[in-house]
Amino acid sequence: MATGTFDIIHPGHITFLREAKKLGDELIVIVAREKNVRHKPKPVVPEEQRRRVVEAIKYVDKAILGDEDDMFRPIMELKPDVIVLGHDQHFDEDWLKEELRKRNLNCEVVRIRVKEDCPLCSSHKIIERILEKYGGR
Amino acid sequence: MATGTFDIIHPGHITFLREAKKLGDELIVIVAREKNVRHKPKPVVPEEQRRRVVEAIKYVDKAILGDEDDMFRPIMELKPDVIVLGHDQHFDEDWLKEELRKRNLNCEVVRIRVKEDCPLCSSHKIIERILEKYGGR
């Protein structure tokens, strides 16, 4: 299981999902709800649209929207063997492991260290390029 | 074979590629070179990055960059059975068929009529939303 906002898809996402898929048989991705994105600017693209693009990526077996009230609810329902974090994802592994333990969720937490190198390898950089190019209204 | 700019991937692209794949065994996508995009604003995302995201889509077997000088060169090399156009792609079917005939390329030209309905179903709309949201520099 992997999670993310996936606002504007770029090769960094692709690498993350490819590496995540290698860690199991089935990759389910939880796409962040707009309401729950607080650690960075709100996404531009509506959540259902983000979910559909993620689900169209080769390595993804299924993409679902997260739970607006309890991020652990889909994890408890699906009981993944592995939870995969991206190299720059803000979750603290120890905190996550402890929260999983409290809920009797016996799953591994693995952080993917592979960092993609491409010109605009984040939604933020793509947005910045757009603002530079179009100078806004 | 399909072609496009694929600047910021959205469900409209996904539907197009899914429908295109149904028309053959293998789907090769030619991603437009920046230099050749003249019928609309230049893409934001660099061409190789666009190619990599397109190639990561489930329905795409291979994505290649177009030829900067002759759009027919990859078509002559690959000799597809079907060339698939999107519902809003600017190519005129009759013109395309005639150009293919001149080059002894015996391939069908099919326009996908399925039009996706999603809130930001074009790279342009996503860019507009970004400009509205961030008001530019």
Side-chain angles (χ1 to χ4, degrees):
Chain A
M1 180 177 285
T3 178
T5 308
F6 303 104
D7 197 11
I8 298 176
I9 290 284
H10 55 75
H13 292 130
I14 308 299
T15 296
F16 169 52
L17 295 169
R18 186 191 66 223
E19 295 303 311
K21 173 71 176 190
K22 289 178 183 172
L23 299 173
D25 303 322
E26 187 184 24
L27 176 59
I28 297 177
V29 179
I30 300 181
V31 176
R33 307 300 296 270
E34 184 154 336
K35 181 188 160 200
N36 299 345
V37 177
R38 298 185 194 90
H39 56 290
K40 57 184 178 179
K42 294 284 184 193
V44 171
V45 177
E47 54 197 22
E48 174 56 17
Q49 185 163 324
R50 288 185 280 118
R51 187 200 66 78
R52 288 176 59 187
V53 171
V54 170
E55 193 158 81
I57 302 295
K58 276 191 172 64
Y59 313 107
V60 178
D61 296 287
K62 189 163 181 52
I64 60 174
L65 292 178
D67 185 280
E68 287 196 318
D69 305 316
D70 177 6
M71 70 171 265
F72 289 97
R73 187 168 293 153
I75 300 173
M76 287 192 288
E77 280 164 17
L78 295 163
K79 295 187 175 41
D81 298 310
V82 185
I83 291 179
V84 190
L85 300 176
H87 69 89
D88 61 352
Q89 276 190 307
H90 64 293
F91 295 114
D92 172 76
E93 280 127 293
D94 295 331
W95 169 81
L96 189 54
K97 284 174 187 169
E98 178 52 21
E99 291 299 317
L100 293 167
R101 196 194 56 73
K102 278 189 218 165
R103 293 168 173 82
N104 298 315
L105 287 165
N106 179 22
C107 51
E108 240 185 300
V109 175
V110 175
R111 189 178 291 275
I112 302 275
R113 301 287 171 196
V114 180
K115 186 175 183 299
E116 190 53 58
D117 180 25
C118 59
L120 303 177
C121 239
S122 75
S123 299
H124 175 69
K125 283 182 181 168
I126 294 171
I127 288 169
E128 286 296 311
R129 173 66 58 88
I130 287 167
L131 295 176
E132 279 161 32
K133 180 173 179 179
Y134 290 94
R137 295 287 136 186
Chain B
M1 179 178 283
T3 178
T5 309
F6 302 104
D7 197 13
I8 299 176
I9 291 285
H10 56 74
H13 292 131
I14 308 300
T15 295
F16 169 51
L17 296 169
R18 185 192 65 222
E19 295 303 311
K21 175 69 177 194
K22 289 177 184 172
L23 298 173
D25 303 323
E26 187 183 24
L27 175 59
I28 297 177
V29 178
I30 300 181
V31 175
R33 306 303 293 271
E34 185 155 336
K35 181 190 161 199
N36 299 345
V37 177
R38 298 183 192 92
H39 57 289
K40 58 184 178 181
K42 294 284 185 194
V44 170
V45 177
E47 55 196 24
E48 174 57 15
Q49 185 164 325
R50 288 185 279 119
R51 187 200 67 77
R52 288 177 59 187
V53 171
V54 171
E55 193 159 79
I57 302 294
K58 277 191 171 65
Y59 313 106
V60 178
D61 296 287
K62 189 163 180 53
I64 61 174
L65 291 177
D67 185 280
E68 287 196 318
D69 304 316
D70 177 5
M71 68 172 265
F72 289 96
R73 187 168 293 152
I75 299 173
M76 288 191 289
E77 280 164 16
L78 296 163
K79 296 187 174 39
D81 299 310
V82 185
I83 290 179
V84 190
L85 301 177
H87 69 88
D88 61 353
Q89 276 190 307
H90 65 292
F91 295 113
D92 171 78
E93 280 128 293
D94 293 333
W95 169 82
L96 189 53
K97 285 173 186 169
E98 179 53 20
E99 290 300 315
L100 292 166
R101 196 194 57 74
K102 278 190 217 165
R103 293 167 172 81
N104 297 316
L105 287 166
N106 179 23
C107 52
E108 241 185 299
V109 175
V110 175
R111 189 177 291 275
I112 302 276
R113 301 288 171 194
V114 180
K115 186 175 184 300
E116 190 55 56
D117 180 24
C118 60
L120 304 178
C121 238
S122 75
S123 298
H124 175 68
K125 283 181 182 167
I126 294 171
I127 289 170
E128 286 297 310
R129 173 67 59 88
I130 287 167
L131 296 176
E132 278 161 33
K133 182 174 177 177
Y134 291 95
R137 295 284 134 188

